[in-house]
Amino acid sequence: MATILVTGANRGIGLEFVKHYLDRGEQVIGTYRDIVSSDKLIQMGEVYDSLKTLTLDVSSDESLKYFSDQLGDIPIDIFINNAGVYGPRNSTFNNVDEKNWIPVLRINAIAPLILTQLIIENLRRSSVKKLIYITSKMGSIDDNKGGGSYVYRSSKTTLNAVVKNISIDLAREGMLVALLHPGWVRTDMGGPNGLIDTNTSVSGMIKVIDGLEQSLSGSFFNYDGTEIPW
């Protein structure tokens, strides 16, 4: 039985990951930022003994440190960094400033590395050692044909660079690292016009995670397993 850590597990893709892994009989640790928007996850935690729910605000250094303290010595087999934000929808040219840019960079690109550093000993205690970061095809420089969305695009491009570095620096320890694009999913972030539902997205991503091996570590995948250019 594996232990899966999913951040941003209270809704959308994160909650779907929790459901899938619980159905597989795994132990799951799901994080949420506030109780108000997390009733489904908290209720699941009351039903499933194999689900542990913990608060985590990735925008707060204090919360990140407190969360890692709460984990203690628990081995983490699969870490799924799902917590993230889109930021301002109108971040077009001439409409971007530091005030609306920095918080998104903090949550989407900086916090994932800080959290990884804080829980690295938990990952080292595992024999599986899979580190998964939910990103977006909008972070691909090669794929960018539409422009706009400066804040979100740049935050995911930065995340991609950070995670590629992680894959190289931790390779000697047997850590398996991947970036996953979930597709355009019908969620609060993706909106009602998304092309796929959360089940399709997460089912596909779990197949990629299951098949991840050393030769593929550090790659940027679509939810269906195809590689995305940087």
Side-chain angles (χ1 to χ4, degrees):
M1 182 185 298
T3 298
I4 322 296
L5 168 60
V6 183
T7 66
N10 59 308
R11 60 183 183 178
I13 292 167
L15 187 61
E16 194 69 26
F17 268 119
V18 172
K19 292 176 181 176
H20 275 66
Y21 279 116
L22 288 176
D23 286 346
R24 281 175 38 156
E26 313 291 11
Q27 294 282 342
V28 181
I29 301 169
T31 78
Y32 63 96
R33 190 180 61 170
D34 61 80
I35 293 176
V36 176
S37 61
S38 309
D39 54 325
K40 290 181 180 179
L41 178 68
I42 294 170
Q43 288 168 11
M44 287 172 65
E46 295 170 351
V47 174
Y48 289 89
D49 292 335
S50 53
L51 172 60
K52 182 176 185 178
T53 61
L54 295 173
T55 58
L56 173 62
D57 179 355
V58 297
S59 68
S60 163
D61 286 333
E62 182 179 355
S63 181
L64 285 163
K65 180 61 170 62
Y66 179 66
F67 172 74
S68 67
D69 290 342
Q70 283 185 293
L71 284 183
D73 296 332
I74 298 173
I76 300 299
D77 298 302
I78 303 174
F79 166 43
I80 301 177
N81 188 96
N82 172 68
V85 295
Y86 193 92
R89 298 280 174 173
N90 61 342
S91 62
T92 53
F93 187 76
N94 273 339
N95 202 32
V96 177
D97 58 30
E98 183 176 335
K99 184 178 180 181
N100 62 29
W101 200 345
I102 297 300
V104 178
L105 282 171
R106 159 74 192 188
I107 292 171
N108 288 357
I110 299 172
L113 176 59
I114 301 301
L115 180 55
T116 302
Q117 291 175 154
L118 287 169
I119 66 169
I120 193 62
E121 291 303 324
N122 302 87
L123 290 158
R124 284 172 174 152
R125 290 187 178 94
S126 165
S127 60
V128 180
K129 298 181 174 68
K130 291 185 177 181
L131 290 73
I132 309 300
Y133 300 81
I134 305 304
T135 184
S136 171
K137 191 165 66 170
M138 289 181 70
S140 166
I141 295 173
D142 184 80
D143 186 72
N144 184 1
K145 304 298 188 293
S149 300
Y150 281 80
V151 170
Y152 186 68
R153 284 187 189 280
S154 64
S155 71
K156 290 301 187 179
T157 303
T158 305
L159 173 64
N160 291 354
V162 167
V163 175
K164 182 64 176 181
N165 248 25
I166 290 173
S167 72
I168 295 167
D169 291 342
L170 299 183
R172 69 188 68 180
E173 298 188 52
M175 302 281 180
L176 303 178
V177 183
L179 288 144
L180 290 181
H181 167 58
W184 185 9
V185 189
R186 292 188 291 274
T187 61
D188 290 344
M189 182 184 291
N193 297 321
L195 300 177
I196 59 174
D197 59 19
T198 54
N199 179 61
T200 301
S201 172
V202 170
S203 295
M205 289 192 287
I206 287 179
K207 286 182 181 178
V208 177
I209 295 168
D210 287 343
L212 188 61
E213 55 189 34
Q214 199 63 57
S215 63
L216 299 172
S217 187
S219 298
F220 181 6
F221 294 105
N222 191 30
Y223 74 95
D224 63 5
T226 58
E227 286 198 51
I228 298 173
W230 297 103

